[in-house]
Amino acid sequence: MLKNIDPALNPDVLHALRSMGHGDTLVISDTNFPSDAIARKTTLGTLLRIDNVSAARAVEAVLSVLPLDMPLQPSAGRMEVMGAPDEVLPVQQEVQAVIDRAEGKSAPMYGIERFKFYEEAKKAYCVITTGETRFYGCFLFTKGVIPPKT
């Protein structure tokens, strides 16, 4: 165990998050997402896991160390529900609440059409799959920066 590091963050995930640069994206996916196939096309090229937790719990762990690029652009996206792109499902509401807490303000997610999400995921730095079993528990995050202390 390490001090101030969420225990859900395993060494592989921590290494990937630290290796990412400003503007790189990462996917946090549910169990139905083609995680391994998509992960093979990412920069990292291998699937990462935060097993046996919900998408919201995995996002909470990741956002405990990863800055979002919020001041410059919307930096948290959700896979849209097919046929109902404006519908925000409970799994997505839970993740939205985690994002808002991490940012200390409302930071609404943007929607990404399902097949566009797959294409964007292939361009990501990495894919982290979770134990989330609910549909549409797939999210895309853009890494921001940590400003220097003045």
Side-chain angles (χ1 to χ4, degrees), residues 43-93:
T43 301
L44 188 62
T46 188
L47 179 62
L48 300 173
R49 308 184 74 85
I50 299 179
D51 288 320
N52 303 316
V53 300
S54 68
R57 178 66 184 95
V59 170
E60 177 183 39
V62 168
L63 294 186
S64 73
V65 296
L66 183 88
L68 292 176
D69 208 16
M70 287 296 183
L72 300 178
Q73 62 183 349
S75 296
R78 62 175 176 77
M79 182 186 285
E80 292 177 349
V81 176
M82 287 184 66
D86 295 327
E87 184 176 356
V88 180
L89 298 175
V91 64
Q92 297 171 336
Q93 294 169 15

Side-chain angles (χ1 to χ4, degrees), residues 75-145:
S75 296
R78 62 175 176 77
M79 182 186 285
E80 292 177 349
V81 176
M82 287 184 66
D86 295 327
E87 184 176 356
V88 180
L89 298 175
V91 64
Q92 297 171 336
Q93 294 169 15
E94 291 169 17
V95 168
Q96 183 64 67
V98 170
I99 294 166
D100 292 348
R101 276 195 307 277
E103 292 300 302
K105 63 181 179 186
S106 177
M109 285 186 284
Y110 60 95
I112 308 168
E113 186 273 331
R114 179 180 164 209
F115 295 105
K116 176 72 172 163
F117 189 98
Y118 293 149
E119 292 308 310
E120 291 301 312
K122 291 173 187 175
K123 299 178 207 171
Y125 185 85
C126 63
V127 175
I128 302 169
T129 195
T130 70
E132 182 60 67
T133 58
R134 293 174 288 179
F135 296 149
Y136 297 99
C138 299
F139 306 91
L140 184 73
F141 297 97
T142 304
K143 185 176 183 180
V145 298

